[in-house]
Each structure stands twice: as C-alpha cells, then as structure tokens.
Amino acid sequence: MKKEYTSAPLPFQGQKRGFVNAFKTVLADCPEDITIVDLFGGSGLLSHTAKSVKPHARVVYNDYDDYHLRLDSIENTNAILRDIREMAREVPRERRIPQAVKDKILKRLLRETGYVDYITLSSSLLFSMEYSTSIEGLRSEAMYNKVRLTDYPMPEGYLAGVEIVHKDYRDLFEEHKKTDNVIFIVDPPYLSTDTSSYKVPGWWSLSEYLDVLSVIKDTSFVYFTSDKSDIVELCAWIGNNGGDNPFSGAQKITRKVQINVDSTYTDIMLYKL
C-alpha cells in the first residue's frame, strides 16, 4: 500500500503540511479524472497528497526548485550527516559548535564529490528557518548542534504517478488554462518572504505577488496566502470599489501559526471549484 505523507520527506521552506487534511477535503469533491496542476510545486507535498486522494487524476508537479534532486540524494545526505554527527558528538545539543569542529565539518563538505543538499544540512546546523545553499553560506553562519539523530528514510513512492516538470509557473499555466476539468494549486512564496532557499533567491515583491492573481481569474483553484500579506483584504477592497476581486465566491479556511511565544500569524487557504 502506498504510504501517505503528511509532511515532506526533507526540509522545505513553506511546505503546506498544516493544510493537508483541509486540502484532502477540497479534493474529495472533485471528479476522479480531474487534472491537477501544481504551479508552485515546492516540496511536492500537495502534489503527493493530490495523487493519493485522486489516484486516477493527472497531477502535474512543477518542480521548479529541483526538489527531486534532493530526494534522489538522500542516501548521500545521510552519509554526510553521520560524519557530522560524529564530529559534533562532544557538543551539547542546541549549543554553538566550536570553530575547530566547524572547520572539520566544512572540510568534510569540501571533500564531497557527490551532490550536497545544503538546505537539509542547514536544518541540522543552523537556527530554525535559516537556510544556506552553498558552502560559502554555511561558512559565514554560526553553527549549532541540531544534527538529526537518525537517517532520513528513503521516500519510497513519494512522487509515484506524478508528472514532474520544471517551468516558469506562467508558462505552465498557459499550457493548461484551456484544459477541460482542471484545477490549479497556487502556492507562491508569501509577500516579502526571503526566498534564499529557492532556486531564484531574493525577495518576492508586491508586483510578482499580484501577477500571480492572473492565474486564478475564471479558473478552479486552491490558493495559499497569509494575513501578513493583506492580499485578501486588498482584493476585497478592489471588489467593493468597482474592480474585479479574483477571490469573489471562494471559500476560505484558516489556521493559526505560532512563530514563538509572543508572535502568531494566520495561514489562509482559499478555494473555488
């Protein structure tokens, strides 16, 4: 029996594990032969979930960030982490790794001839939500002993039956916008989010964020955002002042996200079938 994942097999900034059950409920009302296009595929968790719920559907996963390379390299990543775990064995958990040990870790990475998954390594060596994509990035950061204590399991069947493409979301939308019986999963980086762990680093600007709204006009969609962006409020204001609100008629599901003891925000899923 195919395993159903409730979170991505490897760390990924912004994966939607908190919405998996709500997403399943939305898909349950869709036809069995629907085409599901995941425009911002990320970790592939939503595509995986879609294929699990609708095994006869065509699911297109836009792996723009080459997450599949990280999955294919789990065995090598585990080997690297085993070596790092040994190097840091005398460092207390969650404490800063001394420079001498850090230098050994960096030398180990420099010797590596295979693929190095710096994002996964970052989750074992850097503060939460901090990611590096290169040896230079790790060298410039303080390291902490958060090294995973066990190997990452092999992601057997995680993307089985899913079509994997690597395209700009606009090109992929153009390919499928006239497809019969199609729904688009739209999960762009949140507004003003640091996208340094993504394929194209930088900050996701307001104009880029607004451009995405063109793909949900007159389509069936599941769209993700948060109250930090105010995009839903902005579109409601536009609709109330004579413009087109792309979310008009959409259903909304929310969940509170705890950042720390004093800070929370609201994650939002809107859908229209």
Side-chain angles (χ1 to χ4, degrees), residues 235-272:
C235 289
W237 184 91
I238 292 172
N240 291 332
N241 288 272
D244 292 329
N245 178 0
F247 299 118
S248 179
Q251 302 297 309
K252 182 167 73 171
I253 298 174
T254 62
R255 59 182 291 269
K256 285 289 185 183
V257 178
Q258 191 83 36
I259 301 175
N260 52 48
V261 175
D262 302 313
S263 181
T264 64
Y265 69 91
T266 300
D267 245 351
I268 301 169
M269 183 178 87
L270 298 114
Y271 64 94
K272 190 174 182 180

Side-chain angles (χ1 to χ4, degrees), residues 37-248:
V37 182
D38 192 352
L39 294 176
F40 297 86
S43 68
L45 180 61
L46 295 176
S47 289
H48 162 81
T49 302
K51 193 64 178 177
S52 297
V53 175
K54 296 293 180 183
H56 301 295
R58 180 187 180 192
V59 179
V60 182
Y61 161 49
N62 189 17
D63 184 19
Y64 186 74
D65 294 292
D66 290 327
Y67 189 76
H68 77 287
L69 293 178
R70 297 174 56 200
L71 294 177
D72 292 344
S73 302
I74 282 183
E75 188 173 347
N76 196 52
T77 300
N78 283 334
I80 294 172
L81 284 173
R82 285 194 291 270
D83 290 345
I84 294 176
R85 197 178 300 127
E86 176 63 21
M87 294 173 188
R89 70 183 185 280
E90 301 299 330
V91 182
R93 297 290 298 175
E94 306 294 332
R95 298 295 294 272
R96 184 165 179 166
I97 293 176
Q99 187 63 45
V101 177
K102 178 180 177 179
D103 289 342
K104 289 181 180 179
I105 293 172
L106 294 173
K107 287 180 181 178
R108 167 64 180 88
L109 296 177
L110 286 171
R111 292 197 308 269
E112 182 57 47
T113 57
Y115 179 85
V116 178
D117 181 355
Y118 288 103
I119 295 175
T120 296
L121 296 181
S122 294
S123 69
S124 282
L125 295 170
L126 304 181
F127 275 131
S128 297
M129 305 308 294
E130 290 188 4
Y131 298 96
S132 175
T133 58
S134 67
I135 187 75
E136 291 78 14
L138 281 181
R139 183 180 285 114
S140 66
E141 299 285 348
M143 289 185 182
Y144 295 82
N145 184 12
K146 299 172 54 187
V147 183
R148 184 181 170 93
L149 298 177
T150 59
D151 285 355
Y152 284 98
M154 299 301 290
E156 303 295 341
Y158 180 62
L159 295 174
V162 172
E163 296 180 33
I164 302 176
V165 300
H166 312 274
K167 300 182 179 183
D168 185 285
Y169 80 91
R170 288 160 290 206
D171 295 333
L172 186 58
F173 174 72
E174 287 297 319
E175 286 183 23
H176 292 279
K177 68 180 182 180
K178 294 184 180 179
T179 300
D180 291 334
N181 198 24
V182 64
I183 185 170
F184 294 97
I185 304 172
V186 188
D187 182 24
Y190 288 175
L191 182 62
S192 298
T193 293
D194 180 7
T195 60
S196 58
S197 66
Y198 297 157
K199 187 174 183 178
V200 179
W203 289 87
W204 191 253
S205 70
L206 176 59
S207 61
E208 291 171 314
Y209 203 68
L210 293 174
D211 283 344
V212 175
L213 298 180
S214 63
V215 307
I216 64 174
K217 184 178 180 181
D218 301 323
T219 64
S220 292
F221 64 83
V222 180
Y223 178 92
F224 297 90
T225 185
S226 80
D227 63 350
K228 294 191 292 183
S229 73
D230 292 324
I231 192 71
V232 178
E233 183 179 356
L234 171 62
C235 289
W237 184 91
I238 292 172
N240 291 332
N241 288 272
D244 292 329
N245 178 0
F247 299 118
S248 179

